[in-house]
Amino acid sequence: MTQLKNDTFLRALLKEPVEYTPIWMMRQAGRYLPEYRATRARAGSFMGLCTSPDYATEVTLQPLDRFPLDAAILFSDILTVPDAMGLGLYFAEGEGPKFQRPLRDEAAIRALAPADMGKLRYVFDAVASIRKALDGRVPLIGFSGSPFTLACYMVEGGGSDDFRHVKAMLYSRPELLHHILEANTQSVIAYLNAQIDAGAQAVQIFDTWGGALSHAAYREFSLAYMQRIVAGLKREADGRKVPVIVFTKGGGQWLEDIAAIGADCVGLDWTTDIGQARARVGAKVALQGNFDPNALFAEPAAIEREVARILASYGQGSGHVFNLGHGISQFADPAHAGALVDAVHRLSRGYHGAA
Ligand code: 1CP
């Protein structure tokens, strides 16, 4: 395996000394980049990008060719797993992801089985192809959705603003939701381990909708399953640790619980003060975040002020991976994303090394 030329991201996740604070951006390859839109048009569709290792490699590298980011993230989607479980993922133009066969009746739920990894071969092939193309430039992040976040899409049949079907199930038929979560958990463990085998050097679990739950429901229906995943993952590959990042959007109130499940790093959305988060859990885990993605709509000078505020709030020393608090908007100006990366690299040097 090629030696990593920039391992700052991996060192920060393990709280080892770094020279500056590393940065990557959630959804860094995506519609805000004109080159992404061009490749997507050539591929014909979003799934056309995901299922072709060549296209997936091309779009993964696009943001890295523009900005000096410190990590690459596999180009794919969390919904490939339920698709492989037979739910029939499709994208209706302008409507976002949908499932042909959402889980609404008991018989369909009882028949649900963990995903066959053979159906996800295109993802592992993409990981291997991206690793090769990166040639050690920066580490590659693999990812999956959390069992609960996947279940939201599987039961609702697509995106939702109230989660009424999945919440009705949670409160009236919890055993059915647990059955889905069990199948998802087994799928995610196998899926992330296969990504690690194919070359992923860190993994992130996206729990985008865990924050929509009560604290009690969060612990029972989201966190407990993520804990099992973390316990089931390969934590070393090629003689190096494979750090695990857990990101629950809206999870700021529950940081102590999240930091206790055994992950190396906890992702924060922008509603939490990162300095206070560090005081609460910084001895246990590294922190990732937490720039408000919509602050990228402001002018570069304001972006730089906000970067300075977050870096000062985290304070001296390692254990911080800079990121957005959620995915970058499709309407963001790429030049502003560039200003963000530049400001993080420039302003963070003062927080590392000999003072
Ligand atoms: O080109 C297009 O029209 C598709 C837009 C798009 C993209 C660029 C989708 C559909 N998925 C992706 C890529 C993607 N999705 C990545 C890799 C890109 C990168 O980070 O560079 C990742 C990590 C995801 C993860 C993902 N998909 C999450 C978790 C993270 C988050 O943003 O909260 C979720 C919830 C999804 C579901 C999904 N896929 C796509 C959309 C538009 C959505 C959201 C649907 C909704 O709830 O309305």
Side-chain angles (χ1 to χ4, degrees), residues 81-247:
V81 169
D83 184 51
M85 292 164 93
L87 273 69
L89 176 65
Y90 69 99
F91 284 81
E93 196 51 51
E95 274 193 71
K98 295 220 181 315
F99 286 114
Q100 269 155 6
R101 292 172 289 280
L103 298 174
R104 290 283 170 76
D105 62 88
E106 182 157 358
I109 293 169
R110 296 278 176 217
L112 188 73
D116 167 3
M117 290 302 123
K119 296 204 173 103
L120 291 161
R121 182 68 199 274
Y122 65 91
V123 178
F124 315 131
D125 289 346
V127 169
S129 159
I130 296 162
R131 261 304 286 278
K132 196 158 168 244
L134 279 170
D135 193 30
R137 252 163 98 178
V138 291
L140 174 62
I141 306 167
F143 70 90
S144 82
S146 73
F148 177 73
T149 291
L150 294 176
C152 287
Y153 289 97
M154 293 161 83
V155 175
E156 299 297 334
S160 173
D161 39 26
D162 57 9
F163 302 100
R164 73 173 100 153
H165 298 286
V166 73
K167 286 199 172 177
M169 189 184 292
L170 184 154
Y171 289 107
S172 46
R173 298 295 307 276
E175 76 286 3
L176 291 184
L177 184 55
H178 279 302
H179 182 87
I180 299 171
L181 295 169
E182 180 62 43
N184 290 355
T185 298
Q186 290 180 32
S187 304
V188 168
I189 291 172
Y191 185 56
L192 289 177
N193 279 336
Q195 290 184 36
I196 293 166
D197 284 341
Q201 290 151 297
V203 293
Q204 174 155 325
I205 303 168
F206 284 93
D207 186 28
T208 305
W209 303 121
L213 294 171
S214 71
H215 191 181
Y218 175 68
R219 281 194 281 218
E220 178 178 346
F221 295 93
S222 188
L223 194 62
Y225 290 96
M226 292 198 287
Q227 178 159 20
R228 277 183 44 201
I229 292 168
V230 173
L233 292 182
K234 304 188 176 184
R235 301 295 281 275
E236 221 177 279
D238 298 328
R240 227 183 146 134
K241 284 206 167 130
V242 179
V244 181
I245 307 163
V246 171
F247 171 58

Side-chain angles (χ1 to χ4, degrees), residues 24-32 36-37 40 45-47 49-50 59-60 63 72-79 89 91 93-97 143-145 149 153 158-160 163 204 206-209 247 249 326-328 330:
W24 68 281
M25 295 180 289
M26 284 194 263
R27 298 271 183 111
Q28 64 191 19
R31 284 175 288 184
Y32 76 107
Y36 169 85
R37 296 194 297 268
R40 188 179 183 277
S45 66
F46 171 71
M47 283 312 285
L49 289 178
C50 294
V59 294
T60 298
I73 180 162
L74 161 69
F75 190 84
S76 190
D77 197 77
I78 63 168
L79 302 178
L89 176 65
F91 284 81
E93 196 51 51
E95 274 193 71
F143 70 90
S144 82
T149 291
Y153 289 97
S160 173
F163 302 100
Q204 174 155 325
F206 284 93
D207 186 28
T208 305
W209 303 121
F247 171 58
K249 183 163 176 283
H326 197 208
I328 190 169
Q330 63 172 308

